[in-house]
Amino acid sequence: MSDCLFCKIIAGEIPSKKVYEDELCYAFYDIAPQAPVHFLVVPREHIAAASELSEENAAVVAHIFSVIARLAKELNLTGGYRVVTNAGADARQTVKHLHFHVLAGAELSEKMA
Ligand code: 5GP
Ligand code: ZN
């Protein structure tokens, strides 16, 4: 998608602070962190939101969660972490490319909304 911010980040057209990449996904630190550790993991394939997942394209989500588990060990997130995805206007999704926020590094808010 030519006008998608995260597609441009994946393509290297917009700089980002990379955490990890492989053939299916790309992980980078959020530009406006909401926790001491806050990075995003996105599929390379442009999927607009979690609400656009189907049996045909959802396998990448399992892959991304296994990548997050591995990164959490590598980054020593021993206290745990929270994974969040916003889908649609009510959830305040701002970038229309599926992404998983990984938040960690401190005890997080008891509330999720
Ligand atoms: P959403 O609100 O769609 O769930 O999350 C979008 C996230 O992307 C936000 O946390 C925001 O800070 C982050 N973000 C927006 N633009 C950029 C950017 O250019 N670079 C990086 N690294 N993160 C961005
Ligand atoms: Zn995209």
Coordinates of all heavy atoms in Angstrom, one line a residue, residues 30-112:
D30 N 8.1 2.2 19.2 CA 7.1 3.2 19.0 C 7.7 4.6 19.1 O 8.5 4.8 20.0 CB 5.9 3.0 19.9 CG 4.7 3.7 19.5 OD1 4.7 4.9 19.6 OD2 3.7 3.0 19.1
I31 N 7.3 5.5 18.3 CA 7.8 6.9 18.3 C 7.3 7.6 19.5 O 8.0 8.6 19.9 CB 7.4 7.6 17.0 CG1 8.4 8.7 16.7 CG2 6.0 8.1 17.0 CD1 8.3 9.3 15.3
A32 N 6.2 7.2 20.1 CA 5.7 7.9 21.3 C 5.4 6.9 22.4 O 4.2 6.5 22.6 CB 4.4 8.7 20.9
P33 N 6.4 6.4 23.0 CA 6.3 5.2 23.9 C 5.3 5.5 25.1 O 5.3 6.6 25.7 CB 7.7 4.9 24.5 CG 8.5 6.1 24.1 CD 7.8 6.8 23.0
Q34 N 4.5 4.5 25.4 CA 3.5 4.6 26.5 C 3.9 3.7 27.7 O 3.1 3.5 28.6 CB 2.1 4.3 26.0 CG 1.6 5.3 25.0 CD 0.2 5.1 24.6 OE1 -0.7 4.7 25.5 NE2 -0.2 5.4 23.4
A35 N 5.1 3.2 27.6 CA 5.7 2.3 28.7 C 7.2 2.4 28.5 O 7.7 2.8 27.5 CB 5.2 0.9 28.6
P36 N 7.9 2.0 29.6 CA 9.4 2.1 29.4 C 9.9 1.3 28.2 O 10.9 1.7 27.6 CB 9.9 1.5 30.7 CG 8.8 1.8 31.7 CD 7.5 1.7 30.9
V37 N 9.3 0.2 27.9 CA 9.5 -0.5 26.7 C 8.2 -0.6 25.9 O 7.2 -1.0 26.4 CB 10.0 -2.0 27.0 CG1 10.2 -2.8 25.7 CG2 11.3 -2.0 27.8
H38 N 8.3 -0.1 24.7 CA 7.1 0.0 23.8 C 7.5 -0.2 22.4 O 8.1 0.7 21.8 CB 6.3 1.3 24.0 CG 5.0 1.4 23.2 ND1 4.2 2.5 23.3 CD2 4.4 0.5 22.4 CE1 3.1 2.3 22.5 NE2 3.3 1.1 22.0
F39 N 7.3 -1.4 21.8 CA 7.6 -1.6 20.4 C 6.4 -2.2 19.7 O 5.4 -2.6 20.4 CB 8.9 -2.4 20.2 CG 8.9 -3.8 20.7 CD1 8.4 -4.9 20.0 CD2 9.4 -4.0 22.0 CE1 8.4 -6.2 20.5 CE2 9.4 -5.3 22.5 CZ 8.9 -6.4 21.8
L40 N 6.4 -2.1 18.4 CA 5.3 -2.6 17.6 C 5.8 -3.7 16.7 O 6.9 -3.7 16.2 CB 4.8 -1.4 16.6 CG 4.4 -0.1 17.3 CD1 4.2 1.0 16.3 CD2 3.1 -0.3 18.1
V41 N 4.9 -4.7 16.5 CA 5.2 -5.8 15.6 C 4.2 -5.8 14.5 O 3.0 -5.8 14.9 CB 5.3 -7.1 16.3 CG1 5.9 -8.2 15.4 CG2 6.2 -7.1 17.6
V42 N 4.6 -5.8 13.3 CA 3.6 -5.7 12.2 C 3.9 -6.8 11.1 O 5.1 -7.1 10.9 CB 3.7 -4.3 11.5 CG1 3.5 -3.2 12.5 CG2 5.0 -4.1 10.7
P43 N 2.9 -7.3 10.5 CA 3.2 -8.2 9.4 C 3.7 -7.4 8.2 O 3.3 -6.3 8.0 CB 1.8 -8.8 9.1 CG 0.8 -7.8 9.5 CD 1.5 -7.1 10.7
R44 N 4.6 -8.0 7.4 CA 5.0 -7.4 6.2 C 3.9 -7.2 5.2 O 3.8 -6.2 4.5 CB 6.1 -8.2 5.5 CG 7.5 -8.1 6.2 CD 8.6 -8.8 5.4 NE 9.8 -8.7 6.2 CZ 10.6 -7.6 6.2 NH1 10.3 -6.6 5.5 NH2 11.7 -7.7 6.9
E45 N 3.0 -8.2 5.2 CA 1.8 -8.0 4.3 C 0.9 -6.9 4.9 O 0.7 -6.8 6.1 CB 1.1 -9.4 4.3 CG -0.2 -9.4 3.5 CD -1.0 -10.7 3.7 OE1 -0.6 -11.6 4.4 OE2 -2.1 -10.7 3.1
H46 N 0.4 -6.1 4.0 CA -0.6 -5.1 4.4 C -1.9 -5.7 4.7 O -2.6 -6.1 3.8 CB -0.7 -4.0 3.4 CG -1.7 -2.9 3.8 ND1 -1.3 -1.8 4.6 CD2 -3.0 -2.8 3.7 CE1 -2.3 -1.1 4.9 NE2 -3.4 -1.7 4.4
I47 N -2.2 -5.7 6.0 CA -3.5 -6.1 6.5 C -4.0 -4.9 7.3 O -3.3 -4.4 8.2 CB -3.5 -7.4 7.4 CG1 -2.9 -8.6 6.6 CG2 -4.8 -7.7 8.0 CD1 -2.5 -9.8 7.5
A48 N -5.2 -4.4 7.0 CA -5.6 -3.1 7.6 C -5.8 -3.1 9.1 O -5.5 -2.1 9.7 CB -6.9 -2.6 6.9
A49 N -6.3 -4.2 9.6 CA -6.6 -4.3 11.1 C -6.9 -5.7 11.4 O -7.1 -6.6 10.6 CB -7.8 -3.4 11.4
A50 N -6.9 -6.0 12.7 CA -7.3 -7.3 13.2 C -8.7 -7.7 12.7 O -8.9 -8.9 12.5 CB -7.3 -7.4 14.7
S51 N -9.5 -6.8 12.4 CA -10.9 -7.0 11.9 C -10.8 -7.5 10.5 O -11.9 -8.0 9.9 CB -11.7 -5.8 12.0 OG -11.0 -4.7 11.5
E52 N -9.7 -7.5 9.8 CA -9.5 -7.9 8.4 C -8.9 -9.3 8.4 O -8.5 -9.8 7.3 CB -8.7 -6.9 7.6 CG -9.3 -5.6 7.5 CD -10.8 -5.6 7.0 OE1 -11.0 -6.3 6.0 OE2 -11.6 -4.9 7.6
L53 N -8.7 -10.0 9.5 CA -8.1 -11.3 9.5 C -9.1 -12.3 9.2 O -10.3 -12.2 9.5 CB -7.5 -11.6 10.9 CG -6.3 -10.8 11.3 CD1 -6.0 -10.9 12.8 CD2 -5.1 -11.2 10.5
S54 N -8.6 -13.4 8.5 CA -9.4 -14.5 8.1 C -8.6 -15.8 8.1 O -7.4 -15.7 8.4 CB -9.9 -14.3 6.6 OG -8.8 -14.3 5.8
E55 N -9.2 -16.9 7.9 CA -8.4 -18.2 7.9 C -7.3 -18.1 6.9 O -6.3 -18.7 7.0 CB -9.4 -19.4 7.5 CG -10.3 -19.7 8.6 CD -9.6 -20.3 9.9 OE1 -8.5 -20.7 9.8 OE2 -10.2 -20.1 11.0
E56 N -7.5 -17.3 5.8 CA -6.5 -17.2 4.7 C -5.2 -16.4 5.2 O -4.1 -16.7 4.7 CB -7.1 -16.5 3.5 CG -7.9 -17.5 2.7 CD -9.2 -17.9 3.4 OE1 -9.8 -17.0 4.0 OE2 -9.5 -19.1 3.4
N57 N -5.4 -15.4 6.0 CA -4.2 -14.6 6.3 C -3.8 -14.5 7.8 O -2.9 -13.8 8.2 CB -4.4 -13.1 5.8 CG -5.6 -12.4 6.5 OD1 -6.1 -12.9 7.5 ND2 -5.9 -11.3 6.0
A58 N -4.5 -15.3 8.6 CA -4.3 -15.2 10.1 C -3.1 -15.9 10.6 O -2.7 -15.7 11.8 CB -5.5 -15.6 10.8
A59 N -2.4 -16.8 9.8 CA -1.3 -17.5 10.4 C -0.2 -16.6 10.8 O 0.6 -17.0 11.8 CB -0.8 -18.5 9.3
V60 N 0.0 -15.5 10.2 CA 1.0 -14.6 10.6 C 0.9 -14.1 12.0 O 1.9 -13.7 12.7 CB 1.1 -13.3 9.6 CG1 -0.1 -12.4 9.8 CG2 2.4 -12.6 9.8
V61 N -0.3 -14.1 12.6 CA -0.5 -13.7 13.9 C 0.1 -14.6 14.9 O 0.7 -14.2 15.9 CB -2.1 -13.5 14.2 CG1 -2.3 -13.1 15.7 CG2 -2.7 -12.4 13.3
A62 N 0.0 -15.9 14.6 CA 0.6 -16.9 15.5 C 2.1 -16.7 15.4 O 2.8 -16.8 16.5 CB 0.3 -18.3 15.0
H63 N 2.6 -16.5 14.2 CA 4.1 -16.2 14.1 C 4.5 -15.0 14.9 O 5.5 -15.1 15.6 CB 4.4 -16.0 12.6 CG 5.8 -15.7 12.4 ND1 6.9 -16.6 12.5 CD2 6.4 -14.5 12.0 CE1 8.0 -15.9 12.3 NE2 7.8 -14.7 12.0
I64 N 3.7 -14.0 14.8 CA 4.1 -12.7 15.5 C 4.1 -13.0 17.0 O 5.0 -12.5 17.7 CB 3.1 -11.6 15.1 CG1 3.5 -11.0 13.7 CG2 3.1 -10.5 16.1 CD1 2.6 -10.0 13.1
F65 N 3.1 -13.7 17.5 CA 3.1 -14.0 19.0 C 4.3 -14.8 19.4 O 4.9 -14.6 20.5 CB 1.8 -14.6 19.4 CG 0.8 -13.5 19.8 CD1 0.1 -12.8 18.8 CD2 0.5 -13.3 21.1 CE1 -0.8 -11.8 19.2 CE2 -0.4 -12.3 21.5 CZ -1.1 -11.6 20.5
S66 N 4.8 -15.7 18.5 CA 6.0 -16.5 18.9 C 7.2 -15.6 18.8 O 8.1 -15.8 19.7 CB 6.1 -17.7 18.0 OG 6.5 -17.4 16.7
V67 N 7.2 -14.7 17.9 CA 8.3 -13.7 17.8 C 8.4 -12.9 19.1 O 9.4 -12.6 19.7 CB 8.2 -12.8 16.5 CG1 9.1 -11.6 16.6 CG2 8.6 -13.7 15.3
I68 N 7.2 -12.4 19.5 CA 7.1 -11.6 20.7 C 7.7 -12.3 21.9 O 8.4 -11.8 22.7 CB 5.7 -11.1 20.9 CG1 5.3 -10.0 19.9 CG2 5.6 -10.4 22.3 CD1 3.8 -9.7 19.9
A69 N 7.3 -13.6 22.1 CA 7.8 -14.4 23.2 C 9.3 -14.5 23.2 O 10.0 -14.4 24.2 CB 7.1 -15.8 23.2
R70 N 9.9 -14.7 22.0 CA 11.3 -14.8 21.8 C 12.0 -13.4 22.2 O 12.9 -13.4 22.9 CB 11.7 -15.2 20.4 CG 13.1 -15.7 20.3 CD 13.4 -16.4 19.0 NE 12.3 -16.6 18.0 CZ 12.3 -16.1 16.8 NH1 13.4 -15.5 16.3 NH2 11.3 -16.4 15.9
L71 N 11.4 -12.3 21.6 CA 12.0 -11.0 21.9 C 11.9 -10.7 23.4 O 12.8 -10.0 23.9 CB 11.3 -9.9 21.1 CG 11.5 -10.0 19.6 CD1 10.6 -9.0 18.8 CD2 12.9 -9.8 19.2
A72 N 10.8 -11.1 24.0 CA 10.7 -10.8 25.5 C 11.8 -11.4 26.2 O 12.4 -10.8 27.2 CB 9.3 -11.3 26.0
K73 N 12.2 -12.6 25.8 CA 13.4 -13.3 26.5 C 14.6 -12.5 26.2 O 15.5 -12.2 27.1 CB 13.5 -14.7 26.1 CG 12.3 -15.6 26.6 CD 12.5 -17.1 26.2 CE 11.3 -17.9 26.7 NZ 10.1 -17.8 25.9
E74 N 14.8 -12.2 24.9 CA 16.1 -11.5 24.5 C 16.2 -10.2 25.1 O 17.3 -9.7 25.5 CB 16.1 -11.4 23.0 CG 16.4 -12.7 22.3 CD 16.3 -12.6 20.8 OE1 16.3 -11.5 20.2 OE2 16.2 -13.7 20.1
L75 N 15.1 -9.5 25.3 CA 15.1 -8.1 25.9 C 15.0 -8.1 27.4 O 14.9 -7.1 28.1 CB 14.0 -7.3 25.3 CG 14.1 -7.0 23.8 CD1 12.8 -6.3 23.3 CD2 15.3 -6.2 23.5
N76 N 15.0 -9.4 28.0 CA 14.9 -9.5 29.4 C 13.7 -8.9 30.1 O 13.8 -8.3 31.1 CB 16.2 -9.0 30.1 CG 17.3 -9.9 30.1 OD1 17.1 -11.1 30.4 ND2 18.5 -9.5 29.7
L77 N 12.5 -9.1 29.4 CA 11.3 -8.6 30.0 C 10.7 -9.6 31.0 O 9.7 -10.2 30.8 CB 10.3 -8.3 28.8 CG 10.8 -7.4 27.7 CD1 9.7 -7.2 26.7 CD2 11.2 -6.1 28.3
T78 N 11.5 -9.8 32.0 CA 11.2 -10.9 33.0 C 10.0 -10.6 33.8 O 9.4 -11.6 34.3 CB 12.4 -11.1 33.9 OG1 12.8 -9.8 34.5 CG2 13.6 -11.6 33.2
G79 N 9.6 -9.4 33.9 CA 8.4 -9.1 34.7 C 7.1 -9.3 33.9 O 6.0 -9.2 34.5
G80 N 7.2 -9.5 32.6 CA 6.0 -9.7 31.8 C 5.8 -8.6 30.8 O 6.6 -7.7 30.7
Y81 N 4.8 -8.8 30.0 CA 4.5 -7.8 29.0 C 3.0 -7.8 28.6 O 2.4 -8.8 28.9 CB 5.4 -8.0 27.8 CG 5.3 -9.3 27.1 CD1 4.4 -9.6 26.1 CD2 6.2 -10.4 27.5 CE1 4.3 -10.8 25.5 CE2 6.1 -11.6 27.0 CZ 5.2 -11.8 25.9 OH 5.1 -13.1 25.4
R82 N 2.6 -6.7 28.0 CA 1.2 -6.7 27.5 C 1.2 -6.5 26.0 O 2.0 -5.7 25.5 CB 0.5 -5.5 28.2 CG -1.0 -5.3 27.7 CD -1.7 -4.2 28.5 NE -1.9 -4.6 29.9 CZ -2.2 -3.8 30.9 NH1 -2.3 -2.5 30.7 NH2 -2.4 -4.2 32.1
V83 N 0.3 -7.3 25.3 CA 0.2 -7.1 23.9 C -1.2 -6.6 23.6 O -2.2 -7.1 24.1 CB 0.4 -8.5 23.1 CG1 0.3 -8.3 21.6 CG2 1.7 -9.1 23.5
V84 N -1.2 -5.5 22.8 CA -2.4 -4.8 22.5 C -2.5 -4.6 21.0 O -1.6 -4.2 20.3 CB -2.5 -3.4 23.2 CG1 -3.7 -2.6 22.8 CG2 -2.4 -3.6 24.7
T85 N -3.7 -4.8 20.4 CA -4.0 -4.3 19.0 C -5.3 -3.5 19.0 O -6.3 -4.0 19.6 CB -4.0 -5.5 18.0 OG1 -4.0 -5.0 16.7 CG2 -5.2 -6.4 18.2
N86 N -5.3 -2.4 18.4 CA -6.5 -1.5 18.3 C -7.0 -1.8 16.9 O -6.3 -1.7 15.9 CB -6.1 -0.1 18.5 CG -5.6 0.2 19.9 OD1 -6.1 -0.3 20.8 ND2 -4.5 1.0 20.0
A87 N -8.3 -2.0 16.8 CA -9.0 -2.2 15.5 C -10.2 -1.3 15.4 O -11.2 -1.5 16.2 CB -9.4 -3.7 15.4
G88 N -10.1 -0.3 14.6 CA -11.3 0.5 14.3 C -11.3 1.8 15.1 O -10.5 2.0 16.0
A89 N -12.3 2.6 14.8 CA -12.4 3.9 15.4 C -12.6 3.9 16.9 O -12.0 4.7 17.6 CB -13.5 4.7 14.7
D90 N -13.5 3.1 17.4 CA -13.8 3.1 18.8 C -12.5 2.7 19.6 O -12.3 3.2 20.8 CB -14.9 2.2 19.2 CG -16.3 2.7 18.8 OD1 -16.3 3.9 18.4 OD2 -17.3 2.1 19.1
A91 N -11.7 1.9 19.0 CA -10.4 1.5 19.7 C -9.3 2.5 19.5 O -8.2 2.3 19.9 CB -10.0 0.1 19.2
R92 N -9.6 3.6 18.7 CA -8.7 4.7 18.4 C -7.5 4.1 17.6 O -6.3 4.6 17.8 CB -8.2 5.4 19.6 CG -9.3 6.1 20.4 CD -8.8 6.8 21.6 NE -9.8 7.4 22.4 CZ -10.1 8.7 22.2 NH1 -9.5 9.5 21.4 NH2 -11.0 9.3 23.0
Q93 N -7.7 3.2 16.7 CA -6.7 2.8 15.7 C -6.3 4.0 14.8 O -7.2 4.6 14.2 CB -7.1 1.6 14.9 CG -6.0 1.1 13.9 CD -6.5 0.0 13.0 OE1 -7.7 -0.3 13.0 NE2 -5.6 -0.5 12.2
T94 N -5.1 4.4 14.8 CA -4.6 5.5 14.0 C -3.9 5.1 12.8 O -4.0 5.9 11.8 CB -3.8 6.5 14.8 OG1 -2.6 5.8 15.3 CG2 -4.5 7.1 16.0
V95 N -3.2 4.0 12.8 CA -2.5 3.6 11.6 C -3.2 2.3 11.1 O -3.3 1.3 11.8 CB -1.0 3.3 11.9 CG1 -0.3 2.8 10.6 CG2 -0.3 4.5 12.5
K96 N -3.6 2.3 9.8 CA -4.5 1.3 9.3 C -3.7 0.2 8.7 O -3.9 -0.2 7.5 CB -5.5 1.9 8.3 CG -6.3 3.0 8.8 CD -7.3 2.6 9.9 CE -8.3 3.7 10.3 NZ -7.7 4.9 10.9
H97 N -2.7 -0.3 9.5 CA -1.9 -1.5 9.1 C -1.8 -2.3 10.4 O -1.3 -1.7 11.4 CB -0.5 -1.0 8.6 CG 0.4 -2.2 8.1 ND1 1.0 -2.2 6.9 CD2 0.8 -3.3 8.8 CE1 1.8 -3.3 6.8 NE2 1.7 -4.0 8.0
L98 N -2.2 -3.5 10.4 CA -2.3 -4.4 11.6 C -1.0 -4.2 12.4 O 0.1 -4.4 11.8 CB -2.5 -5.8 11.2 CG -2.5 -6.9 12.3 CD1 -3.6 -6.6 13.3 CD2 -2.6 -8.3 11.7
H99 N -1.1 -4.0 13.6 CA 0.2 -3.9 14.5 C -0.2 -4.3 15.9 O -1.3 -4.0 16.4 CB 0.8 -2.5 14.5 CG -0.2 -1.4 14.8 ND1 -1.1 -0.9 13.9 CD2 -0.4 -0.7 15.9 CE1 -1.8 0.1 14.4 NE2 -1.4 0.2 15.7
F100 N 0.8 -4.9 16.5 CA 0.7 -5.3 17.9 C 1.6 -4.5 18.8 O 2.8 -4.5 18.5 CB 1.0 -6.8 18.0 CG 0.0 -7.7 17.3 CD1 0.2 -8.0 16.0 CD2 -1.2 -8.1 17.9 CE1 -0.7 -8.8 15.3 CE2 -2.1 -8.8 17.2 CZ -1.9 -9.2 15.9
H101 N 1.1 -3.8 19.7 CA 1.9 -3.0 20.7 C 2.4 -4.0 21.7 O 1.6 -4.8 22.2 CB 1.0 -2.0 21.4 CG 0.4 -0.9 20.6 ND1 0.9 0.4 20.5 CD2 -0.7 -0.9 19.8 CE1 0.2 1.1 19.7 NE2 -0.8 0.3 19.2
V102 N 3.7 -3.9 22.0 CA 4.2 -4.7 23.1 C 4.7 -3.7 24.2 O 5.6 -2.8 23.9 CB 5.4 -5.6 22.7 CG1 5.9 -6.4 23.9 CG2 4.9 -6.6 21.6
L103 N 4.1 -3.7 25.3 CA 4.3 -2.8 26.4 C 4.9 -3.5 27.6 O 4.4 -4.6 28.0 CB 3.0 -2.1 26.8 CG 2.3 -1.4 25.6 CD1 0.8 -1.5 25.8 CD2 2.7 0.0 25.5
A104 N 6.0 -3.0 28.2 CA 6.6 -3.7 29.3 C 7.6 -2.7 30.0 O 7.7 -1.5 29.7 CB 7.4 -4.9 28.7
G105 N 8.3 -3.3 31.0 CA 9.3 -2.5 31.6 C 8.9 -1.9 32.9 O 9.7 -1.2 33.6
A106 N 7.7 -2.0 33.3 CA 7.1 -1.5 34.5 C 5.8 -2.2 34.8 O 5.2 -2.7 33.8 CB 6.9 0.0 34.5
E107 N 5.2 -2.1 36.0 CA 3.9 -2.6 36.2 C 2.9 -1.6 35.5 O 2.9 -0.4 35.7 CB 3.6 -2.6 37.7 CG 2.3 -3.3 38.0 CD 2.0 -3.5 39.5 OE1 2.5 -2.6 40.3 OE2 1.5 -4.5 39.9
L108 N 2.1 -2.2 34.6 CA 1.3 -1.4 33.7 C -0.1 -1.1 34.4 O -0.4 -1.7 35.5 CB 1.0 -2.2 32.4 CG 2.3 -2.6 31.6 CD1 1.9 -3.5 30.5 CD2 3.0 -1.3 31.1
S109 N -0.8 -0.2 33.8 CA -2.1 0.1 34.4 C -3.0 -1.1 34.6 O -3.1 -2.0 33.8 CB -2.8 1.1 33.4 OG -4.1 1.3 33.8
E110 N -3.7 -1.1 35.7 CA -4.7 -2.2 36.0 C -5.8 -2.2 35.0 O -6.3 -3.2 34.6 CB -5.2 -1.9 37.4 CG -6.0 -3.1 38.0 CD -6.4 -2.8 39.4 OE1 -6.0 -1.8 40.0 OE2 -7.3 -3.5 39.9
K111 N -6.1 -1.0 34.5 CA -7.2 -0.8 33.5 C -6.7 -1.0 32.1 O -5.6 -0.5 31.8 CB -7.9 0.5 33.7 CG -8.7 0.7 34.9 CD -9.5 2.0 34.8 CE -10.5 2.0 35.9 NZ -11.4 3.2 35.8
M112 N -7.4 -1.5 31.2 CA -7.0 -1.6 29.8 C -7.8 -0.7 29.0 O -7.6 -0.6 27.8 CB -7.1 -3.1 29.3 CG -6.0 -3.9 29.8 SD -5.9 -5.5 29.0 CE -7.3 -6.3 29.7

